[in-house]
Amino acid sequence: MRFVWAVAAFVLAALMIGAGIAQRTIFEGPKSESQAIEVASDAPYVLIDGSVLTSHDGSQNLRVQGDGTIFAAYGRTADIKAWLARADYTEVGVDAGSITSASIAAAEPPAAGQAPLNPVGSDLWLDDFQQEDVLITPLQLPADMSLLVASDGVEPAPHSLSLTWPVRSSTPWAGPLIVGGSILLVVGLVLYILGVRHARRSRGPRRKGVPLPVTEPIDLAVDGADKGVISASPPRRRLTRGRQASLAVPFVAVGALLITGCSPDAWPQPAASPTPSSSQSVVVPDDQGSPVVTEAQAERIVARIADTVATADEARDATSAATRLAGTALAVRETNYTLRGAIADQAALPPIPDGNLQVTLPEANDEWPRTFFAVAAGSSDGGTDQPDVILSVSQQDPWSPYKLTSLATLTSDIELNLAPAYVGAIPIPADSPFLTVAPDDLAAAYADVLTKGTGSEYAASFDMADDAFQKQLDANRTQRLNDFNQTGAQTGSLTFAATAGTQPPVALATLDSGAIVAVTVDDLDTVVPTNADAVIKVDGNPIVQTLTGVAQSSTGFTTTYANQLFFFVPSQSSKERVSLLGYSSNILESKVVG
């Protein structure tokens, strides 16, 4: 009977294991689903909307085939459409569950003589790809992201496009069937072994006696090598337990391999119970815009700026620098290029840091212009670590690159309550009444403090005890005045003044209702003669002589230093004072007093 049960267990085990394996192989179904995309026109761009990308669950895999270079990029849908306003394109979307393709004409056709749009290198893209003839890339984009596909922005975009999504096949009974079959297999082996033992024991002793062989005396004279007893029959051997166990090992090993090869999809999954989500630390208003850049995007932009400016610095190429610099940051570099071209030992300005950004504070804004602040680790100069640098970077429209407008060396260790990069900071209007000093008034107020010191009406609004720039400026002014008085006190005078710079302020909010504000303040040194017969000579000052083009003047000279400053401005209700975060000071121009 044990043999009958063993055979039944073997048969049932084979059926169960076979059914389980079949569910994971021939009955499992396809592992992916593909969708070919038909392009309706020969437009130079194809926009694949996020609704297409998320029409199936899981990550996406894009495949594009064409002749020559193929370009693809992804970004926020609104950003890509804003960029495409100057070009014809084909929009691929979803309507009633079906993939649609529509031709869209340019909303703002390019002006006469304007170069066609080139998608390569745009700062709007979160990432981009380029390959020859065939482009294949895995993606995992949400519904508010879209894909842009093109060749070179002039030729028609590739027409052979497809998207593939993984199909998750659930076979919840495959695991139990394989495990159950393996258990029955072991049970059948045990029953079979027990049946064999029972059958042998039930036979009893059946061997009859046999006559003993005739013995003969042993000749003791024979050599020891020939001595011995020859058995009449070979010895009987037993089937030991060791051999029985070894027979069962392959079957158990096969079952174990089958079990370990099962993924979680091969098992029944309990219904997921809802778990409470953690509360957000930052409450984002419904009408707040999206952050203009991601952290990775900001790092890539700053690296591009650093690379372009480094090349321009080496060649003293102001035109090239202007592609990535604007405002005061560009003006002081143009002056430096002029001085380096005329003065052999004139030093170059410090390079733009291109390392990892330690802090990224993007503006929350869906329109243009756009700005983000960032703190970059200072470069190592001669083995000495330089202080960190704070940057203000802006983009004027969807087609322009981001440009560095202000940068300063951090001099304060004040801790600020900043919004996360994935949330973004609210832009503060220039005339905001909610700060202790409005951004529009900040540069003029600080310039008044630099000129009048504690006698300024704004002195109480600023934390002058922690103001590294004011201390450095006062020391420099004292030194310059002492140097001038040694030779020119009898015939001329040197005066100092500070005025607000011409660059508009940029302000982004902090989470405590304050703001980080970037402004420029000009520091002016004016030397004029004190009698009608005197002239001011600058033949010993190659910088002023180079910038003015003259060696002396009867009316005097004014030299302007541009100071790029970053402040923390508290809210109107706060008891804190305006704190300087960092500064940089560079010569901007020198003119003859007119």
Side-chain angles (χ1 to χ4, degrees):
M1 192 65 184
R2 289 184 176 89
F3 290 108
V4 175
W5 287 112
V7 172
F10 288 151
V11 173
L12 188 57
L15 291 175
M16 292 177 66
I17 294 175
I21 294 175
Q23 283 197 20
R24 299 294 295 173
T25 54
I26 58 176
F27 297 144
E28 186 177 16
K31 294 185 177 181
S32 63
E33 182 173 353
S34 296
Q35 173 67 59
I37 297 176
E38 296 183 2
V39 179
S41 68
D42 289 334
Y45 298 99
V46 174
L47 171 66
I48 304 177
D49 190 73
S51 59
V52 178
L53 302 173
T54 57
S55 59
H56 298 276
D57 295 333
S59 59
Q60 311 96 15
N61 195 73
L62 172 69
R63 187 182 190 278
V64 185
Q65 186 171 357
D67 295 331
T69 302
I70 300 173
F71 175 86
Y74 66 83
R76 290 190 301 173
T77 302
D79 289 352
I80 295 180
K81 287 187 175 182
W83 189 86
L84 287 171
R86 291 183 177 176
D88 298 335
Y89 66 96
T90 302
E91 182 174 4
V92 179
V94 175
D95 184 15
S98 301
I99 304 296
T100 61
S101 178
S103 298
I104 308 296
E108 301 178 17
Q114 191 174 39
L117 290 178
N118 186 353
V120 179
S122 172
D123 290 338
L124 279 185
W125 317 141
L126 298 181
D127 203 355
D128 55 44
F129 317 93
Q130 273 188 289
Q131 291 182 12
E132 296 292 327
D133 300 330
V134 177
L135 185 148
I136 301 175
T137 182
L139 302 166
Q140 195 164 5
L141 304 181
D144 61 347
M145 299 278 185
S146 291
L147 269 171
L148 181 68
V149 178
S151 53
D152 59 0
V154 178
E155 297 297 323
H159 282 203
S160 178
L161 297 90
S162 66
L163 285 168
T164 303
W165 298 266
V167 176
R168 184 175 179 179
S169 301
S170 178
T171 54
W173 291 108
L177 284 172
I178 294 174
V179 172
S182 300
I183 294 173
L184 281 177
L185 179 64
V186 174
V187 170
L189 288 172
V190 172
L191 290 175
Y192 177 78
I193 294 170
L194 293 176
V196 171
R197 291 183 62 189
H198 178 72
R200 289 187 174 182
R201 289 179 178 178
S202 63
R203 293 179 187 175
R206 297 185 179 183
R207 188 180 299 275
K208 294 182 179 181
V210 294
L212 295 175
V214 178
T215 60
E216 297 181 358
I218 299 174
D219 188 358
L220 297 178
V222 181
D223 293 337
D226 297 327
K227 295 178 182 179
V229 178
I230 301 175
S231 174
S233 61
R236 190 175 69 183
R237 299 174 181 263
R238 271 185 199 171
L239 185 64
T240 63
R241 290 183 181 272
R243 182 179 294 268
Q244 293 173 358
S246 65
L247 292 175
V249 166
F251 295 97
V252 177
V254 170
L257 289 174
L258 292 174
I259 294 171
T260 56
C262 293
S263 65
D265 292 337
W267 298 88
Q269 300 296 323
S273 57
T275 57
S277 59
S278 58
S279 59
Q280 293 184 349
S281 58
V282 179
V283 178
V284 182
D286 293 336
D287 58 347
Q288 179 171 315
S290 303
V292 296
V293 293
T294 64
E295 291 181 284
Q297 189 180 6
E299 286 193 353
R300 185 170 64 248
I301 291 170
V302 171
R304 289 173 176 174
I305 292 174
D307 184 65
T308 300
V309 173
T311 303
D313 285 351
E314 184 176 358
R316 303 196 308 272
D317 185 353
T319 302
S320 176
T323 62
R324 283 297 185 176
L325 297 176
T328 305
L330 174 62
V332 296
R333 255 181 163 77
E334 289 175 335
T335 300
N336 181 261
Y337 294 165
T338 300
L339 294 176
R340 287 171 53 206
I343 305 172
D345 58 351
Q346 181 68 30
L349 294 182
I352 309 300
D354 60 352
N356 294 332
L357 299 183
Q358 299 178 344
V359 177
T360 302
L361 184 64
E363 178 184 10
N365 184 13
D366 293 327
E367 304 298 330
W368 280 268
R370 296 176 170 184
T371 297
F372 70 87
F373 291 161
V375 175
S379 59
S380 296
D381 186 8
T384 302
D385 291 337
Q386 300 300 309
D388 296 339
V389 176
I390 183 171
L391 314 169
S392 176
V393 188
S394 297
Q395 184 186 42
Q396 294 303 308
D397 56 59
W399 309 281
S400 300
Y402 272 91
K403 296 183 179 182
L404 176 66
T405 57
S406 296
L407 77 162
T409 300
L410 281 178
T411 59
S412 175
D413 57 359
I414 183 174
E415 293 186 2
L416 301 179
N417 192 9
L418 304 179
Y422 60 85
V423 174
I426 299 173
I428 301 296
D431 59 350
S432 172
F434 302 108
L435 301 177
T436 55
V437 181
D440 249 353
D441 301 329
L442 182 61
Y446 189 66
D448 193 70
V449 172
L450 294 179
T451 301
K452 300 177 181 178
T454 55
S456 170
E457 61 179 304
Y458 304 104
S461 299
F462 290 86
D463 182 9
M464 293 190 292
D466 191 34
D467 192 329
F469 173 70
Q470 188 176 26
K471 295 175 182 178
Q472 181 258 355
L473 181 64
D474 288 343
N476 285 347
R477 283 177 170 179
T478 300
Q479 182 64 44
R480 292 202 297 269
L481 185 59
N482 290 337
D483 293 342
F484 175 81
N485 287 337
Q486 290 180 6
T487 57
Q490 303 300 321
T491 57
S493 66
L494 171 63
T495 59
F496 304 100
T499 62
T502 58
Q503 182 164 298
V506 178
L508 297 182
T510 59
L511 293 180
D512 50 7
S513 300
I516 298 176
V517 185
V519 297
T520 59
V521 172
D522 293 338
D523 174 38
L524 289 78
D525 295 1
T526 302
V527 181
V528 295
T530 54
N531 64 67
D533 297 329
V535 295
I536 304 298
K537 295 184 178 182
V538 292
D539 48 359
N541 190 332
I543 293 178
V544 175
Q545 187 173 354
T546 298
L547 296 178
T548 60
V550 297
Q552 65 181 28
S553 170
S554 60
T555 57
F557 297 90
T558 296
T559 301
T560 303
Y561 297 86
N563 306 297
Q564 302 170 69
L565 309 167
F566 286 79
F567 291 93
F568 167 67
V569 183
S571 65
Q572 190 70 258
S573 59
S574 174
K575 296 182 179 180
E576 296 181 83
R577 291 182 292 178
V578 179
S579 300
L580 179 73
L581 301 177
Y583 73 92
S584 65
S585 182
N586 306 100
I587 188 169
L588 178 63
E589 63 179 5
S590 189
K591 296 181 178 180
V592 175
V593 175

